[in-house]
């Protein structure tokens, strides 16, 4: 008769372990519980031989190694701490092996306890990269009417064009990072997930600094940022009538109005104003 022991937290797995590991059914053993909650399983080991076994499981992308040890029954033999460490090494686990945890587990094992799922090594987790971030430095088009100081609504002087001067920083960009590589308990590198980039395409009148962190205006003009294409134009097309939908137009370059300029509205430019239609009130 041999006795193997299960700690209280493994009581519900006792029957499954006895069946799976030792191929022992319920009619081949009896059990009692001691005052500390440990379960003592008395097994008829006549004619049996089962040497102690060590099982290593890798989890969390092989960053963690867990060990289970099952004691011998019959004429089999248990394992020393040194033999268990050798078994761990044979499995290729070599990074940050917790020898103290292994020795404690070996001591429990040699007291004929079943040792289940003990963390015995931990590698280095990979850290994903950070996504790129852009910070727009120019103002936004805001075509909502303005409220004047006397409480009236101004429908004409709306913010319909964003201006830039040569040398202005239009966008600051914090590039995506590649992340930090990890290491499995078997000393295999884990590649991180890189951060997602934000691609900004340089249009007319825009340059990118050598570090790839700033988009800068190369000339005076109005800013256009559509579909991630950034540009500064000197010539601004108004493909419609200048009316309440556009408001007054003020630009540092040239303005080309394809339609009319209605009475009461103003078009100003430091260079040329071209109107294909009629100026009702010049």
């Amino acid at each position: 008769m041999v006795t193997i022991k299960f700690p209280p937290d493994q009581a519900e797995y006792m029957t499954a372990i006895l069946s799976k590991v030792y191929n022992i059914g319920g009619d081949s053993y009896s059990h009692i519980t001691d005052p500390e909650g440990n379960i003592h399983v008395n097994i008829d080991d006549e004619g049996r031989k089962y040497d102690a076994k060590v099982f290593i499981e890798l989890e969390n992308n092989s960053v963690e190694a867990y060990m289970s040890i099952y004691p011998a029954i019959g004429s089999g033999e248990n394992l020393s701490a040194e033999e268990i460490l050798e078994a761990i090494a044979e499995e290729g686990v070599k990074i940050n092996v917790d020898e103290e945890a292994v020795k404690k587990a070996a001591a429990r094992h040699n007291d004929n306890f079943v040792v289940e799922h003990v963390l015995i090594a931990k590698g280095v987790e990979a850290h994903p990269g950070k996504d790129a971030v852009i910070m727009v430095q120019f103002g936004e088009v805001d075509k909502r009417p303005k409220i004047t100081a006397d409480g009236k609504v101004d429908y004409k002087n709306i913010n319909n064009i964003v201006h830039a001067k040569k040398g202005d920083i239009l966008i600051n960009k914090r590039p995506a990072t590649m992340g930090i590589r990890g290491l499995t308990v078997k000393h295999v590198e884990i590649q991180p997930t890189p951060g997602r980039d934000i691609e900004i395409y340089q249009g007319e009148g825009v340059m990118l600094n050598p570090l790839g962190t700033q988009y800068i205006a190369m000339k005076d003009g109005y800013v256009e940022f559509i579909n991630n294409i950034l540009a500064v134009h000197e010539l601004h097309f108004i493909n419609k009538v200048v009316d309440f939908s556009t408001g007054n137009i003020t630009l540092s370059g040239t303005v080309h109005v394809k339609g009319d300029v209605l009475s009461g509205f103003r078009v100003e430019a430091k260079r040329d104003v071209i109107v294909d239609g009629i100026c009702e009130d010049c």
Side-chain angles (χ1 to χ4, degrees):
M1 186 73 66
V2 67
T3 300
I4 62 174
K5 305 170 188 176
F6 290 83
D9 61 345
Q10 293 172 10
E12 62 180 299
Y13 307 115
M14 178 188 72
T15 302
I17 289 172
L18 290 172
S19 174
K20 183 177 180 180
V21 176
Y22 297 101
N23 196 26
I24 294 175
D27 57 349
S28 300
Y29 66 88
S30 61
H31 67 277
I32 60 171
T33 303
D34 67 20
E36 296 178 352
N38 299 312
I39 300 173
H40 296 237
V41 178
N42 300 310
I43 301 171
D44 180 6
D45 63 341
E46 185 177 350
R48 298 177 186 271
K49 181 181 179 182
Y50 187 96
D51 288 327
K53 298 292 183 183
V54 179
F55 294 96
I56 307 297
E57 294 179 284
L58 304 184
E59 298 182 8
N60 188 22
N61 201 22
S62 296
V63 170
E64 296 172 342
Y66 291 85
M67 175 180 70
S68 298
I69 316 173
Y70 302 103
I73 62 173
S75 58
E77 297 182 356
N78 281 342
L79 299 167
S80 67
E82 291 73 20
E83 289 172 321
I84 293 171
L85 285 168
E86 287 176 6
I88 292 169
E90 287 174 2
E91 287 291 326
V93 176
K94 59 183 75 173
I95 295 296
N96 297 333
V97 175
D98 187 344
E99 293 192 10
E100 192 62 32
V102 173
K103 289 177 181 178
K104 287 182 180 179
R108 292 279 283 173
H109 158 68
N110 280 287
D111 193 21
N112 257 30
F113 270 94
V114 168
V115 177
E116 277 264 301
H117 206 250
V118 175
L119 179 65
I120 49 105
K122 190 166 185 177
V124 181
E125 292 192 40
H127 293 277
K130 294 182 178 180
D131 294 343
V133 176
I134 63 171
M135 293 147 281
V136 175
Q137 304 299 306
F138 55 87
E140 295 182 0
V141 171
D142 182 5
K143 294 188 176 183
R144 292 175 297 180
K146 306 298 186 291
I147 306 299
T148 61
D150 58 3
K152 295 181 179 180
V153 180
D154 184 356
Y155 289 96
K156 295 181 179 179
N157 294 304
I158 58 178
N159 182 22
N160 53 9
I161 298 174
V162 177
H163 297 270
K165 293 183 178 296
K166 183 178 180 179
D168 283 353
I169 297 172
L170 304 176
I171 290 179
N172 283 321
K173 179 180 178 181
R174 188 176 69 199
T177 61
M178 294 302 297
I180 301 173
R181 290 178 295 179
L183 202 62
T184 72
V185 291
K186 291 189 174 184
H187 205 278
V188 177
E189 282 192 355
I190 304 171
Q191 297 302 321
T193 302
R196 292 176 296 179
D197 194 20
I198 300 174
E199 192 73 43
I200 298 177
Y201 303 98
Q202 296 166 247
E204 173 191 351
V206 174
M207 65 171 288
L208 179 63
N209 73 345
L211 296 176
T213 57
Q214 291 183 328
Y215 292 82
I216 303 166
M218 297 175 62
K219 58 186 177 182
D220 296 351
Y222 77 95
V223 181
E224 185 178 60
F225 190 35
I226 301 174
N227 296 328
N228 280 23
I229 301 174
L230 180 66
V232 176
H233 302 289
E234 292 179 337
L235 175 61
H236 181 54
F237 280 99
I238 307 293
N239 292 311
K240 58 193 299 185
V241 172
V242 175
D243 56 11
F244 285 106
S245 66
T246 63
N248 293 326
I249 304 296
T250 303
L251 191 69
S252 58
T254 296
V255 178
H256 187 166
V257 180
K258 305 294 283 186
D260 301 334
V261 179
L262 298 190
S263 178
F265 289 90
R266 185 176 69 251
V267 178
E268 295 182 16
K270 287 189 176 179
R271 294 191 177 181
D272 298 322
V273 173
I274 304 167
V275 180
D276 290 350
I278 298 170
C279 296
E280 294 186 349
D281 185 7
C282 294

